[in-house]
Amino acid sequence: MRLIISREHLLKGLTVAGKAVGSKASFPILMNFKLTLDEKGLTVLGGNNELTISTLIPYMIEDKEIIRNTKHGSTLIGSKILTEIIRRIECDEVSITVVDDTIVKIEGGKSSFQLNSMKPEEYPEIDLEQTGVVFDIDSRELSKLVEQTSFAASAKEQRPILMAVNLSAVDGKLVATATDSARLARKEIDLEDEIEFSANVPAKTLLEITRMFESGGKVTTAVSDKKILFSFDSTLVSSRLINGEYPNTKNIIPKTFNYFLEVNSAQLVAAMERASLLSQERENVVKLTMTSSTLEVASRSAQIGSANETLSTFQFNGDILEISFNSDYVISAIKALKTEDVTIAFIGEMKPFVVKSDKDPSIVQLVTPVRTY
Amino acid sequence: MRLIISREHLLKGLTVAGKAVGSKASFPILMNFKLTLDEKGLTVLGGNNELTISTLIPYMIEDKEIIRNTKHGSTLIGSKILTEIIRRIECDEVSITVVDDTIVKIEGGKSSFQLNSMKPEEYPEIDLEQTGVVFDIDSRELSKLVEQTSFAASAKEQRPILMAVNLSAVDGKLVATATDSARLARKEIDLEDEIEFSANVPAKTLLEITRMFESGGKVTTAVSDKKILFSFDSTLVSSRLINGEYPNTKNIIPKTFNYFLEVNSAQLVAAMERASLLSQERENVVKLTMTSSTLEVASRSAQIGSANETLSTFQFNGDILEISFNSDYVISAIKALKTEDVTIAFIGEMKPFVVKSDKDPSIVQLVTPVRTY
């Protein structure tokens, strides 16, 4: 393999594929990039056990030559050292030459590097085929779907299935569900295609992937038994799926409520953030006390002291209600809604309650209260 | 104690004094601020085992009333919780009321907090008297003196004395010296007063202190056997000193040299930074090879590969010279000089060399080479 390539475009490719290369991979071979030059251009592939990213740098972009003086081939080079060199080297074009199976030469400006390399055959086989259910979706809509739900997935490894966002397609809708069993977030968007599937995608990985959709436009998504594959721009991103059946959460969200609180999102968040300063050792539990004329947020810690916040602009229909909960859950639910006001609908002080907004009926969030103190 | 105080000014005072309050103090009592209201204003005092900061918020600043409705007194409150509350509370003025020896009430806007507090007598006695040798110095000059030397102090606790910057005054000069025994930085500035002292100030603490000199102007410095005390604006900062005699480094810097390299600072730093990417596991060792017509920076790692950098603009008088060193040491020496070009003066390949600049003769830096590979 031999090529001269625009430093800027190479660095961009390395940065994209580098998002899949962790500092500690379980297999040392995964600390490398696989570089392949063929008739399409230079493909940079990086991966870890969960996520694989493959991005293509073409020979020409518009009328500009990006890659020249080439000989097809493939090699493995340490991802971190290659990225750092290309980031710091001072020149417009970089020359890459595979000297033999063990050495790659990188040259540019007044710098010259000989990097130890490995044979491309040593890299594991990666399936990046578009198999299974294939559909197109607007990248911004998909990003928002994931951002508004993935935070509710579990961070704990006891029940791996709860570390996933469940994506399911049915009846012309794509539904994302995430729950850590104490709270749940669900959002749906319309699909153009009549398709059906259900896939459990690791929540953190899915969020990382959707954050890569910079340029807007369509993403082609392919869901099979083993993987979910996203294609956009010149990049393919594949995540493994989590095996097992996602818990049935369809009927978990109550339909009728006894109390409704309507309140400004930012004001309630600020009051809960202040109050929870006093209960950081108690899972940020705060108590909301509502009557038709008063709204209070309170917290208490034997060690530190107590906090009391009042809000003046709100609407509450119903008698007095006192309910305690982890304020982090309600704060992230409100922030995910991204609306000026929110409605919190309650059944009673020990029943799960719903955080929602009339402005965006596509999303609903459920939070379980904690026993009051 | 009782007062109503401008939130903005209180927050500024807490932030200044908070720099001395660590997250893990060896004595839990030091996690508190000591607040004292007397005829001068509100004094906020925070400290750890090494550093104490006391800052005064006066009743009036120019024509504006900062503190009102007062009753003198003193209390201890948790520094972190108080700072977070004052940062987040939404109001222009905050009311602070000591209810009794165990409770302080903080109120503002629609928020109300009751914080557990302690009796002020439980806080250790802190000596903030201006004793010993007292002199005035320009705060910017002192900051620069410390910034240009403190990085060379040792980070290792084996020889505590080397974790200090030695400040000494003699013959109308203030001299700062720092060394970790493999490199040394020394700088001197003129003093107005004819004074004499020698003090070993913990380097990290000293750097933190000089970074607090925001507003320029004079700093009054008082050096005694036990502490160094800086007074500026409405703030007193005291650091403990490290006991023991600082190593005699007066005659360590050679006066005659056999080789001189003159080179652009930024170009040499960039070349060394790139080359050292290959020797991060070998203490960033690089080899400089100089002849009258070539200047090369090279490095090698059995695991990763090798790097070779050439520089074209430089002046070297002398025969060929090869010398290897920890590039971090030379990079930080060059960066501390802050000059466009540097001169590196060598005696021979196994002798310490000097990094300096004609533009700033007040500072000199010595680096010990390592054995070539």
Side-chain angles (χ1 to χ4, degrees):
Chain A
M1 189 177 88
R2 190 188 68 218
L3 69 155
I4 293 175
I5 182 169
S6 146
R7 188 188 76 90
E8 180 195 339
H9 287 88
L10 176 57
L11 182 58
K12 204 181 149 198
L14 299 178
T15 307
V16 168
K19 288 182 180 149
V21 187
S23 51
K24 277 182 258 164
S26 8
F27 300 105
I29 194 87
L30 295 179
M31 299 300 288
N32 292 283
F33 282 131
K34 183 175 179 181
L35 302 183
T36 307
L37 185 72
D38 60 17
E39 64 285 352
K40 288 174 289 180
L42 181 70
T43 299
V44 184
L45 185 144
N48 57 41
N49 301 324
E50 198 152 283
L51 176 70
T52 303
I53 302 176
S54 169
T55 189
L56 175 74
I57 307 166
Y59 285 94
M60 303 282 293
I61 291 181
E62 283 155 18
D63 283 348
K64 215 188 133 198
E65 195 180 45
I66 305 298
I67 302 175
R68 65 187 176 86
N69 195 24
T70 61
K71 187 180 157 205
H72 291 182
S74 190
T75 188
L76 304 186
I77 315 185
S79 64
K80 205 178 141 200
I81 186 78
L82 182 62
T83 307
E84 273 307 301
I85 287 173
I86 302 304
R87 193 191 311 281
R88 287 166 181 269
I89 205 165
E90 292 173 68
C91 54
D92 292 332
E93 284 190 323
V94 179
S95 148
I96 303 178
T97 312
V98 174
V99 178
D100 59 31
D101 279 345
T102 61
I103 291 178
V104 173
K105 214 167 178 172
I106 314 277
E107 288 162 307
K110 296 186 173 289
S111 307
S112 163
F113 297 87
Q114 299 223 17
L115 298 185
N116 297 345
S117 63
M118 278 188 282
K119 281 189 273 191
E121 299 80 42
E122 301 191 26
Y123 204 84
E125 276 296 325
I126 307 283
D127 164 21
L128 290 174
E129 295 300 313
Q130 247 178 35
T131 48
V133 180
V134 180
F135 61 101
D136 279 354
I137 190 163
D138 180 85
S139 64
R140 287 180 215 276
E141 274 199 66
L142 182 56
S143 294
K144 206 175 164 195
L145 179 83
V146 171
E147 196 193 332
Q148 290 187 305
T149 51
S150 58
F151 67 89
S154 175
K156 294 177 187 153
E157 299 188 4
Q158 282 112 316
R159 284 183 69 189
I161 196 91
L162 294 188
M163 300 180 79
V165 173
N166 175 260
L167 292 178
S168 71
V170 68
D171 299 335
K173 304 260 186 206
L174 178 65
V175 184
T177 309
T179 178
D180 62 4
S181 79
R183 45 111 173 242
L184 177 143
R186 175 181 297 157
K187 182 178 159 94
E188 55 182 40
I189 51 181
D190 291 328
L191 281 176
E192 284 170 26
D193 310 291
E194 273 296 334
I195 50 173
E196 274 197 30
F197 70 83
S198 174
N200 304 316
V201 191
K204 251 179 84 180
T205 301
L206 183 61
L207 187 64
E208 272 173 47
I209 293 172
T210 54
R211 283 184 177 153
M212 297 170 64
F213 302 157
E214 283 169 5
S215 56
K218 290 278 174 202
V219 175
T220 303
T221 306
V223 184
S224 67
D225 284 355
K226 296 260 181 257
K227 69 173 200 294
I228 185 165
L229 179 80
F230 301 94
S231 317
F232 54 97
D233 305 329
S234 310
T235 302
L236 294 174
V237 182
S238 167
S239 167
R240 78 171 176 90
L241 301 180
I242 296 176
N243 287 327
E245 189 116 357
Y246 199 76
N248 183 356
T249 59
K250 268 205 191 102
N251 302 315
I252 214 173
I253 293 170
K255 299 211 167 49
T256 56
F257 300 94
N258 301 322
Y259 309 87
F260 294 90
L261 173 68
E262 275 181 59
V263 63
N264 176 277
S265 305
Q267 281 179 18
L268 182 58
V269 165
M272 288 193 294
E273 281 177 344
R274 280 191 296 268
S276 66
L277 290 173
L278 280 284
S279 56
Q280 284 171 344
E281 285 117 40
R282 295 188 53 239
E283 297 190 307
N284 295 303
V285 169
V286 301
K287 182 171 76 174
L288 210 59
T289 306
M290 294 156 274
T291 73
S292 59
S293 60
T294 60
L295 172 57
E296 276 185 22
V297 183
S299 71
R300 178 182 299 280
S301 145
Q303 273 203 314
I304 310 174
S306 63
N308 198 79
E309 299 272 341
T310 58
L311 284 94
S312 47
T313 344
F314 66 93
Q315 277 209 310
F316 181 69
N317 76 325
D319 296 336
I320 182 166
L321 176 67
E322 275 189 12
I323 191 163
S324 294
F325 48 80
N326 180 329
S327 59
D328 275 356
Y329 285 1
V330 175
I331 289 170
S332 41
I334 293 176
K335 285 185 172 170
L337 284 174
K338 294 176 193 295
T339 54
E340 203 182 328
D341 300 295
V342 287
T343 302
I344 309 185
F346 304 91
I347 296 170
E349 64 176 39
M350 284 315 296
K351 297 281 186 198
F353 56 93
V354 161
V355 182
K356 58 184 182 172
S357 164
D358 298 342
K359 294 277 162 55
D360 184 359
S362 74
I363 175 168
V364 60
Q365 315 217 36
L366 191 76
V367 176
T368 308
V370 298
R371 238 166 239 295
T372 49
Y373 48 80
Chain B
M1 190 177 87
R2 188 187 68 219
L3 69 157
I4 294 174
I5 183 169
S6 145
R7 189 190 76 91
E8 179 195 339
H9 288 87
L10 176 59
L11 182 58
K12 203 181 150 199
L14 299 178
T15 308
V16 168
K19 288 182 179 146
V21 186
S23 50
K24 277 182 255 163
S26 7
F27 301 104
I29 193 90
L30 294 178
M31 300 299 289
N32 292 284
F33 283 130
K34 183 175 178 181
L35 302 182
T36 307
L37 185 72
D38 60 18
E39 62 286 352
K40 288 175 288 179
L42 180 71
T43 299
V44 184
L45 185 143
N48 58 42
N49 301 325
E50 200 152 282
L51 177 69
T52 303
I53 302 175
S54 168
T55 191
L56 175 73
I57 308 165
Y59 286 93
M60 301 283 293
I61 292 182
E62 284 155 16
D63 283 347
K64 216 187 133 198
E65 194 180 45
I66 305 300
I67 303 175
R68 63 187 176 88
N69 196 23
T70 63
K71 188 180 157 205
H72 291 182
S74 189
T75 188
L76 303 185
I77 315 186
S79 64
K80 207 179 139 200
I81 186 77
L82 182 62
T83 308
E84 274 307 303
I85 287 173
I86 301 305
R87 194 190 311 283
R88 288 166 180 270
I89 205 166
E90 293 172 69
C91 53
D92 292 332
E93 284 190 321
V94 179
S95 147
I96 303 179
T97 312
V98 174
V99 179
D100 59 33
D101 279 345
T102 60
I103 290 178
V104 174
K105 213 168 181 171
I106 316 276
E107 290 162 304
K110 295 187 173 290
S111 307
S112 163
F113 298 86
Q114 299 224 18
L115 298 185
N116 297 346
S117 63
M118 279 187 283
K119 280 188 273 191
E121 299 79 43
E122 301 191 27
Y123 204 83
E125 274 298 321
I126 307 284
D127 164 22
L128 290 174
E129 294 302 311
Q130 249 179 34
T131 50
V133 179
V134 180
F135 61 102
D136 278 354
I137 191 163
D138 180 86
S139 64
R140 289 180 215 276
E141 275 199 64
L142 182 58
S143 294
K144 207 175 163 196
L145 180 83
V146 171
E147 195 193 333
Q148 291 187 303
T149 51
S150 58
F151 67 89
S154 175
K156 294 175 187 155
E157 299 190 3
Q158 282 112 316
R159 284 184 68 190
I161 195 92
L162 295 187
M163 300 180 77
V165 173
N166 175 260
L167 292 178
S168 71
V170 67
D171 297 336
K173 304 261 187 206
L174 178 65
V175 184
T177 309
T179 178
D180 62 6
S181 79
R183 45 109 173 244
L184 177 144
R186 175 181 297 155
K187 181 177 160 94
E188 54 184 40
I189 51 180
D190 292 329
L191 280 177
E192 285 170 25
D193 310 291
E194 275 296 333
I195 50 171
E196 275 197 28
F197 70 83
S198 173
N200 304 315
V201 192
K204 252 179 81 183
T205 301
L206 183 60
L207 186 64
E208 270 173 49
I209 292 173
T210 56
R211 283 184 177 152
M212 295 170 64
F213 301 158
E214 281 169 7
S215 57
K218 291 279 174 201
V219 176
T220 302
T221 306
V223 184
S224 66
D225 286 354
K226 296 260 182 258
K227 70 173 200 292
I228 185 165
L229 178 81
F230 302 94
S231 317
F232 54 96
D233 304 332
S234 310
T235 302
L236 293 174
V237 183
S238 166
S239 167
R240 77 171 177 91
L241 302 180
I242 297 176
N243 287 328
E245 189 115 355
Y246 199 75
N248 183 355
T249 60
K250 266 203 190 105
N251 303 314
I252 214 173
I253 293 170
K255 299 214 165 49
T256 56
F257 301 95
N258 301 319
Y259 309 87
F260 293 91
L261 172 69
E262 276 182 58
V263 63
N264 176 277
S265 305
Q267 281 178 18
L268 183 58
V269 165
M272 289 194 293
E273 281 178 343
R274 280 191 297 268
S276 67
L277 290 173
L278 280 284
S279 54
Q280 284 172 344
E281 285 117 40
R282 295 187 55 240
E283 295 190 310
N284 296 303
V285 170
V286 302
K287 183 170 75 174
L288 210 59
T289 305
M290 294 156 274
T291 74
S292 58
S293 59
T294 58
L295 173 56
E296 278 184 22
V297 183
S299 71
R300 179 181 298 279
S301 145
Q303 274 203 314
I304 311 174
S306 63
N308 198 79
E309 299 272 340
T310 60
L311 284 96
S312 48
T313 344
F314 66 94
Q315 277 210 310
F316 181 67
N317 77 326
D319 298 333
I320 182 168
L321 176 66
E322 277 188 12
I323 192 162
S324 294
F325 48 80
N326 179 330
S327 59
D328 275 356
Y329 285 1
V330 176
I331 289 169
S332 41
I334 293 176
K335 285 186 172 168
L337 284 173
K338 294 177 193 293
T339 55
E340 201 181 331
D341 300 295
V342 288
T343 301
I344 310 186
F346 304 93
I347 296 169
E349 64 176 38
M350 284 316 296
K351 298 280 187 199
F353 56 92
V354 161
V355 182
K356 58 184 182 172
S357 164
D358 299 342
K359 295 274 161 59
D360 185 358
S362 74
I363 175 167
V364 60
Q365 316 217 35
L366 191 76
V367 176
T368 307
V370 299
R371 242 166 234 296
T372 48
Y373 48 82

